[in-house]
Amino acid sequence: MFDPAPSPAEAALLRHFGHSTFRPGQQGVVEAMLAGRDTVAIMPTGNGKSICYQLPALMLEGTTLVVSPLIALMKDQVDALLEKGIPATFINSSLEPDEAEYRLASLAAGKYKLVYIAPERFKNRAFMEAIQGVTIARLAVDEAHCVSQWGHDFRPDFLRLREALNKIGRPPVLAATATATPEVREDIVKQLGIKDPAVFVTGFDRPNLRYVVRPVSGEAAKLSKVLEIAQKTKGSGIVYASTRKNVEAIAEHLEAAGVSAVAYHAGLHDMERDQAQDAWMQGKARVVVATNAFGMGVDKPNVRFVIHHDLPGTVEAYYQEAGRAGRDQKASYCVLLFSPADRYLQEFFIEGSCPSVSTLSDVYQVLCDQGPDEFVMTHEAIGRAMPGKVNDMAIGTCLNLLERNGVIARAPRGANHAYVRHANDLMPIDGRAKMQKLVYGALKAVLRDELDAGVALDLNQFVTYVGESRESVLAALNGLNERGLIAYTPPQRGRAIRLIKRAEDFASLKLDVNYLIGKQAREIKKLDAMINYAYTTDCRRAYILDYFGETAPSRCGACDRCLEAPGAQSLPVKKAPVRVVAKIAPVAKVAAPQGDPILLAALREARAGIAKDKGLPPYCIVHDRVLDAVAAAGPETLEALAAIKGIGEDKCRQWGATMLAALAAAQSPSVSLATSGAG
């Protein structure tokens, strides 16, 4: 008997990528793409989603555009393609102007098979002109859950993709993601305007992953546990933390203990992030400590452990990040270090991404108070002008919402100019400071007499003139300032704001405030589900699969809960990343809100206002479970409110009127002006 001849797709897979067979789910997606069908692919992390659009791109005439949410993802995938001799590139804000211009010219000439871009690139005139004469074979949306407002990583810019598709001739679309619940899948199809898609759901199960939760209390205990796991587990690892401060502290702690580690977060320069990622990918550093800015599209096979130092905000985020372990199908560990207090940090993030209606109104009023002319204000300055203490993240979200609704206009990022003035021509420049000497000479050549008087400096144009990286030029300017040769003031962090709509009453703007309230309720519900994962006494793998709508066996036999079950065999000590030193006491699952989520969100907002005034944590005012009961009952009188268990006469006397007012306002009809991706 003879083996059947390989299909064209199989032959191309072997020729370009060296694989003789497809992974489960890949071939159907590839063939649907080759047939020109719009396609939705839900595939587990590490199952090779990228092949599903890279291979068709190589088999079709023209160029495939890949829309990707993160610069790090673009760089990693393009580097891997270039190593295989595949003509690919990315075009994003990290490029110097000359390099971006070169890549646009090469794109226009049809020299690339794959081009990775961010969704906002479709607003760039130079890019749209470059692709006018190019045959766009397919458009792939990677991490497509970013399209959906119900997804865990919604990006408003992704909502413009439907319009962009029409502008480029509506090529067939692939929407690919690893983290989409059934609700999110339906929304992706709707938002992209996909009709009659071929839908492939490969499944979410990763049997080689060992899910573990370890209870900890305090930062010192967390650092100790991270070090213990890193020292006892062979291979590469990732440690996720929620803040830049934690990332730096963990990386320093590991390094001090002899575990090679690098830090990765959005506060680093592009060059520093690239260096950190390259060091980890090449094995020069065994552990990368990162915020969630790291990892999308990173394909490193021998990641033996992923540790979450802080609680993620959603099961989707945890599944995606933990799933970067074990892509070589070997046993790997996904460890969550859990402290109940971690919830407060995630609630802070929710407050930042879902500001209250009163916060939105206050931000708008501060802008109105600045007068009719264009002005520049930082988030901090806006916050200082508002009543009470306000989350800086919430102010940024409010500004984005007002901008998307056409209430304000803002200058582009980086449009603010620096200020530079000649200070001392007699101070010599050390011969070793070559970059400072180059930049100082460029300043004198470009600005001439203006340098003595002081002048605004367009950094983008100046960097282009110098011909070196932006990071090097900025470092040289700061160095010259420190040496006293120039007086240099960097651009203000704020962006110029122009008020377009001025209303006597905030409500007359007719913004979709109910969207904010509903979004907050959804995010809190997702956070509750993540906390339930930590507390569950059932199989952790089954919990995750059930969350994504998949039927799962009751016991996987490999997570910490299964191994702690009566009669279960423990893993051999040499394979376990850490011994079981403590168990989380069985705790009842956090009850899901029983009432209208909009009512519950309104009550939470009212409670937050009371707590802020009193200087107390919100739970000291009214517990979450009590708010759930109030939202479910929907009382209309103080007597009915006082009758609810957990309220009583004292709380009713102090805060009952505020709670009833919040319920009444949330239940009243509201005028809604649907926005293009508000939030």
Side-chain angles (χ1 to χ4, degrees):
M1 296 183 65
F2 297 96
D3 291 332
S7 68
E10 289 172 325
L13 180 69
L14 181 62
R15 182 168 65 256
H16 293 293
F17 296 96
H19 304 311
S20 57
T21 58
F22 285 100
R23 290 182 182 178
Q26 286 180 330
Q27 188 163 3
V29 178
V30 168
E31 290 176 350
M33 288 294 289
L34 291 173
R37 290 195 65 182
D38 285 343
T39 306
V40 177
I42 314 297
M43 303 176 71
T45 299
N47 216 51
K49 294 188 301 296
S50 57
I51 288 288
C52 295
Y53 55 80
Q54 290 173 350
L55 189 62
L58 298 175
M59 299 176 67
L60 295 165
E61 292 294 326
T63 299
T64 291
L65 299 179
V66 183
V67 178
S68 179
L70 287 178
I71 289 174
L73 183 150
M74 300 181 197
K75 178 184 182 302
D76 186 73
Q77 293 212 3
V78 168
D79 285 351
L81 291 168
L82 293 176
E83 286 181 6
K84 294 178 172 64
I86 295 170
T89 194
F90 60 82
I91 301 173
N92 59 39
S93 59
S94 71
L95 300 177
E96 298 294 337
D98 287 350
E99 179 63 21
E101 186 177 342
Y102 170 79
R103 295 189 188 191
L104 285 173
S106 299
L107 167 61
K111 294 183 178 180
Y112 302 120
K113 295 300 291 181
L114 292 117
V115 176
Y116 287 73
I117 56 172
E120 53 269 27
R121 188 59 45 178
F122 288 109
K123 297 185 295 183
N124 182 282
R125 179 182 298 177
F127 175 78
M128 295 304 291
E129 289 176 353
I131 63 174
Q132 284 303 308
V134 178
T135 298
I136 305 300
R138 301 289 186 268
L139 185 134
V141 184
D142 206 355
E143 310 297 346
H145 56 271
C146 296
V147 174
S148 172
Q149 63 182 352
W150 313 105
H152 73 282
D153 197 18
F154 170 58
R155 312 286 181 92
D157 280 322
F158 274 75
L159 289 180
R160 299 189 180 96
L161 289 179
R162 185 171 183 170
E163 179 185 354
L165 274 166
N166 294 329
K167 288 182 178 179
I168 62 175
R170 198 56 177 74
V173 178
L174 169 65
T177 180
T179 51
T181 60
E183 179 184 44
V184 172
R185 296 171 211 166
E186 292 178 10
D187 199 37
I188 290 171
V189 170
K190 176 184 175 183
Q191 297 297 345
L192 291 177
I194 293 175
K195 296 180 179 178
D196 188 30
V199 180
F200 298 87
V201 182
T202 303
F204 293 87
D205 196 10
R206 297 281 305 283
N208 64 308
L209 299 186
R210 311 294 191 246
Y211 295 103
V212 178
V213 175
R214 287 289 171 258
V216 289
S217 178
E219 289 304 306
K222 283 191 174 186
L223 283 174
S224 176
K225 188 62 67 176
V226 168
L227 177 60
E228 179 185 353
I229 296 170
Q231 288 176 329
K232 289 187 175 182
T233 311
K234 294 181 179 180
S236 294
I238 305 174
V239 180
Y240 280 106
S242 294
T243 67
R244 299 174 188 179
K245 180 180 177 182
N246 283 348
V247 166
E248 297 285 355
I250 296 165
E252 289 176 9
H253 185 71
L254 291 174
E255 278 284 324
V259 177
S260 58
V262 290
Y264 186 107
H265 56 70
L268 301 173
H269 291 306
D270 292 342
M271 184 185 303
E272 292 175 307
R273 288 197 299 271
D274 289 347
Q275 290 172 345
Q277 181 174 326
D278 289 344
W280 181 72
M281 291 293 293
Q282 296 167 15
K284 297 176 183 176
R286 196 161 75 85
V287 179
V288 59
V289 187
T291 59
N292 60 7
F294 175 83
M296 279 190 174
V298 171
D299 189 9
K300 185 174 173 65
N302 66 331
V303 178
R304 294 280 74 87
F305 61 92
V306 172
I307 304 170
H308 277 79
H309 175 273
D310 301 309
L311 181 78
T314 67
V315 176
E316 290 98 325
Y318 181 69
Y319 172 82
Q320 184 180 60
E321 291 160 8
R324 285 164 191 144
R327 294 195 174 188
D328 55 5
Q329 311 307 313
K330 295 181 180 179
S332 304
Y333 296 93
C334 308
V335 185
L336 170 64
L337 305 182
F338 177 68
S339 168
D342 288 347
R343 179 187 185 105
Y344 301 128
L345 179 60
Q346 289 302 328
E347 287 181 338
F348 174 84
F349 290 147
I350 292 173
E351 179 189 348
S353 64
C354 309
S356 68
V357 177
S358 61
T359 298
L360 180 62
S361 175
D362 288 343
V363 168
Y364 175 71
Q365 188 58 52
V366 169
L367 302 184
C368 288
D369 291 344
Q370 305 311 307
D373 298 327
E374 185 173 279
F375 55 92
V376 175
M377 286 188 81
T378 63
H379 293 180
E380 294 86 348
I382 294 173
R384 287 194 298 270
M386 292 172 64
K389 188 176 181 181
V390 185
N391 183 332
D392 277 358
M393 290 173 57
I395 292 173
T397 301
C398 289
L399 292 173
N400 290 335
L401 179 62
L402 292 170
E403 184 176 23
R404 285 199 298 275
N405 280 273
V407 177
I408 65 173
R410 288 192 290 177
R413 296 184 186 279
N416 292 341
H417 290 177
Y419 178 83
V420 64
R421 178 176 57 81
H422 199 198
N424 186 347
D425 200 24
L426 299 178
M427 186 173 293
I429 299 178
D430 191 325
R432 292 170 296 178
K434 294 181 180 178
M435 184 57 65
Q436 290 184 17
K437 193 170 185 178
L438 175 64
V439 169
Y440 185 57
L443 285 172
K444 295 180 71 174
V446 172
L447 301 177
R448 297 187 175 90
D449 295 340
E450 291 178 308
L451 183 60
D452 292 327
V455 66
L457 179 68
D458 185 323
L459 282 178
N460 291 331
Q461 292 184 6
F462 184 66
V463 167
T464 301
Y465 176 82
V466 174
E468 299 290 341
S469 71
R470 185 181 182 87
E471 290 82 1
S472 300
V473 172
L474 294 182
L477 287 169
N478 285 317
L480 291 168
N481 182 66
E482 292 171 1
R483 298 167 72 89
L485 281 122
I486 62 171
Y488 168 67
T489 304
Q492 291 191 42
R493 291 179 58 205
R495 294 162 64 185
I497 299 171
R498 178 167 54 89
L499 198 64
I500 296 175
K501 292 182 181 178
R502 185 180 297 275
E504 292 183 6
D505 179 59
F506 173 76
S508 66
L509 292 173
K510 298 181 180 179
L511 303 179
D512 186 9
V513 295
N514 280 339
Y515 171 82
L516 280 178
I517 297 172
K519 183 172 184 282
Q520 183 186 68
R522 289 193 301 273
E523 294 201 9
I524 290 174
K525 183 178 179 181
K526 286 177 177 289
L527 177 58
D528 285 342
M530 187 64 229
I531 291 172
N532 283 341
Y533 168 81
Y535 280 130
T536 187
T537 56
D538 298 326
C539 171
R540 299 199 191 279
R541 195 165 110 208
Y543 183 99
I544 290 173
L545 295 178
D546 180 68
Y547 181 86
F548 287 110
E550 279 197 19
T551 303
S554 59
R555 292 281 170 184
C556 70
C559 73
D560 60 332
R561 284 308 191 202
C562 287
L563 294 175
E564 293 165 8
Q569 277 193 327
S570 297
L571 283 175
V573 172
K574 65 179 181 179
K575 291 187 178 180
V578 57
R579 293 180 296 107
V580 177
V581 295
K583 296 182 181 180
I584 299 176
V587 176
K589 289 186 177 181
V590 179
Q594 299 173 0
D596 187 327
I598 290 181
L599 297 186
L600 181 60
L603 288 168
R604 287 183 185 275
E605 182 178 336
R607 180 182 66 173
I610 296 169
K612 184 180 293 185
D613 291 341
K614 300 292 182 182
L616 295 170
Y619 67 83
C620 290
I621 307 300
V622 181
H623 195 278
D624 282 353
R625 292 188 181 87
V626 179
L627 285 190
D628 292 346
V630 175
E636 297 180 358
T637 66
L638 289 174
E639 291 77 11
L641 179 63
I644 295 173
K645 185 177 180 180
I647 295 291
E649 292 184 3
D650 287 344
K651 283 187 172 65
C652 194
R653 184 176 61 254
Q654 295 179 74
W655 307 308
T658 302
M659 296 173 72
L660 289 180
L663 286 171
Q667 288 173 319
S668 64
S670 62
V671 180
S672 172
L673 176 65
T675 64
S676 178

